[in-house]
Amino acid sequence: MTLFEKIIAREIPAQIVYEDDLSIAIRDINPQAPVHVLVIPKKPIARVGEAQPEDQALLGHLLLTAAKVAKQEGLENGFRITINQGVDGGETVPHMHVHVLGGHSLSWPPG
Ligand code: 5GP
């Protein structure tokens, strides 16, 4: 079971800000911005590069959910959506998720 599956199963506590049949959104334990939420599919796809054609609707759902959460969090000045993959991408939890970051001006390009 991945860390995020344990959070979804309520075996590990997390600050849940949104949940539906397909996804859950939690506050990141080590926030990199004033608002840092992770939108996680309940289906444990290891990383976005391993998503399959049948996951197309789920991937779209995650983006729509990320935008919904950003609105819920009051990020009307803007926000960033990030998906990390692999060592160079900074992936640390092998259960794909969408980072929603905002609450101040974010630098670009990232390091
Ligand atoms: P990744 O590096 O895989 O893109 O993102 C994993 C994220 O999960 C990191 O930003 C990390 O801070 C967060 N994280 C790791 N462990 C936990 C945890 O136990 N609870 C929560 N809420 N976030 C976690």
Side-chain angles (χ1 to χ4, degrees), residues 8 18-25 39-45 54-62 64-65 95-96:
I8 290 162
Y18 176 84
E19 184 170 20
D20 60 29
D21 288 350
L22 298 174
S23 65
I24 191 168
V39 179
I40 305 164
K42 291 186 174 176
K43 178 180 177 181
I45 299 166
E54 63 263 27
D55 298 319
Q56 182 169 326
L58 176 58
L59 296 182
H61 179 79
L62 296 176
L64 289 172
T65 301
H95 180 147
M96 81 154 285

Side-chain angles (χ1 to χ4, degrees), residues 3-4 26-30 38 84 90-93 97 99:
L3 168 67
F4 291 157
I26 63 170
R27 295 201 189 284
D28 198 291
I29 206 168
N30 182 24
L38 307 173
N84 297 328
E91 174 197 326
T92 58
V93 178
H97 48 282
H99 294 258

